[in-house]
Amino acid sequence: MFMSNWIGALIGAAIDRRDGDSGIKGAAIGYAAQGLVRVVAPLAVTFAIGWAVQKGVKAGIGALREGRSKTDAEQSSAD
Protein backbone atom coordinates (compact mmCIF):
# COMPACT_ATOMS: atom_id res chain seq x y z
CA MET A 1 0.00 0.00 0.00
CA PHE A 2 1.48 3.26 -1.09
CA MET A 3 -0.46 5.33 1.44
CA SER A 4 0.68 3.34 4.47
CA ASN A 5 4.33 3.77 3.44
CA TRP A 6 3.94 7.54 3.40
CA ILE A 7 2.09 7.62 6.71
CA GLY A 8 4.78 5.52 8.37
CA ALA A 9 7.51 7.76 6.97
CA LEU A 10 5.74 10.94 8.09
CA ILE A 11 5.21 9.62 11.62
CA GLY A 12 8.84 8.51 11.83
CA ALA A 13 10.07 11.89 10.62
CA ALA A 14 7.88 13.76 13.09
CA ILE A 15 9.18 11.67 15.97
CA ASP A 16 12.78 12.20 14.84
CA ARG A 17 12.32 15.96 14.73
CA ARG A 18 10.81 16.03 18.19
CA ASP A 19 13.39 13.76 19.89
CA GLY A 20 16.51 14.79 18.04
CA ASP A 21 17.92 11.26 18.48
CA SER A 22 19.41 8.89 15.95
CA GLY A 23 16.06 8.07 14.37
CA ILE A 24 15.79 4.41 15.32
CA LYS A 25 12.86 5.07 17.65
CA GLY A 26 11.07 7.10 14.98
CA ALA A 27 11.73 4.44 12.38
CA ALA A 28 10.36 1.70 14.64
CA ILE A 29 7.21 3.64 15.49
CA GLY A 30 6.77 4.63 11.84
CA TYR A 31 7.06 0.98 10.83
CA ALA A 32 4.46 -0.01 13.45
CA ALA A 33 2.14 2.77 12.26
CA GLN A 34 2.52 1.55 8.69
CA GLY A 35 1.46 -1.96 9.73
CA LEU A 36 -1.45 -0.56 11.72
CA VAL A 37 -2.68 1.42 8.73
CA ARG A 38 -2.57 -1.72 6.58
CA VAL A 39 -4.88 -3.47 9.05
CA VAL A 40 -7.15 -0.61 10.12
CA ALA A 41 -7.76 1.09 6.76
CA PRO A 42 -9.59 -1.85 5.11
CA LEU A 43 -11.63 -2.39 8.28
CA ALA A 44 -12.60 1.28 8.39
CA VAL A 45 -13.64 1.26 4.72
CA THR A 46 -15.68 -1.92 5.24
CA PHE A 47 -17.38 -0.41 8.28
CA ALA A 48 -18.19 2.80 6.39
CA ILE A 49 -19.70 0.90 3.46
CA GLY A 50 -21.77 -1.28 5.81
CA TRP A 51 -23.01 1.78 7.69
CA ALA A 52 -24.03 3.51 4.45
CA VAL A 53 -25.88 0.42 3.22
CA GLN A 54 -27.68 0.03 6.53
CA LYS A 55 -28.69 3.69 6.53
CA GLY A 56 -29.95 3.41 2.95
CA VAL A 57 -31.98 0.29 3.73
CA LYS A 58 -33.55 2.00 6.76
CA ALA A 59 -34.44 5.03 4.65
CA GLY A 60 -35.95 2.80 1.97
CA ILE A 61 -38.05 0.89 4.49
CA GLY A 62 -39.20 4.17 6.02
CA ALA A 63 -40.22 5.47 2.59
CA LEU A 64 -42.15 2.28 1.85
CA ARG A 65 -43.97 2.50 5.17
CA GLU A 66 -44.90 6.13 4.55
CA GLY A 67 -46.21 5.24 1.11
CA ARG A 68 -48.34 2.43 2.53
CA SER A 69 -49.77 4.54 5.33
CA LYS A 70 -50.76 7.26 2.85
CA THR A 71 -52.39 4.69 0.58
CA ASP A 72 -54.24 3.14 3.54
CA ALA A 73 -55.44 6.57 4.69
CA GLU A 74 -56.73 7.40 1.20
CA GLN A 75 -58.63 4.10 1.01
CA SER A 76 -60.19 4.61 4.48
CA SER A 77 -61.43 8.09 3.61
CA ALA A 78 -62.92 6.81 0.34
CA ASP A 79 -65.03 4.24 2.23
Side-chain angles (χ1 to χ4, degrees), residues 15-46:
I15 291 170
D16 280 345
R17 276 191 224 121
R18 187 180 60 184
D19 287 347
D21 291 338
S22 65
I24 293 175
K25 180 181 174 184
I29 293 175
Y31 180 76
Q34 174 183 345
L36 186 66
V37 167
R38 285 186 179 170
V39 172
V40 172
L43 291 174
V45 169
T46 302

Side-chain angles (χ1 to χ4, degrees), residues 39 55 69:
V39 172
K55 189 151 179 90
S69 65

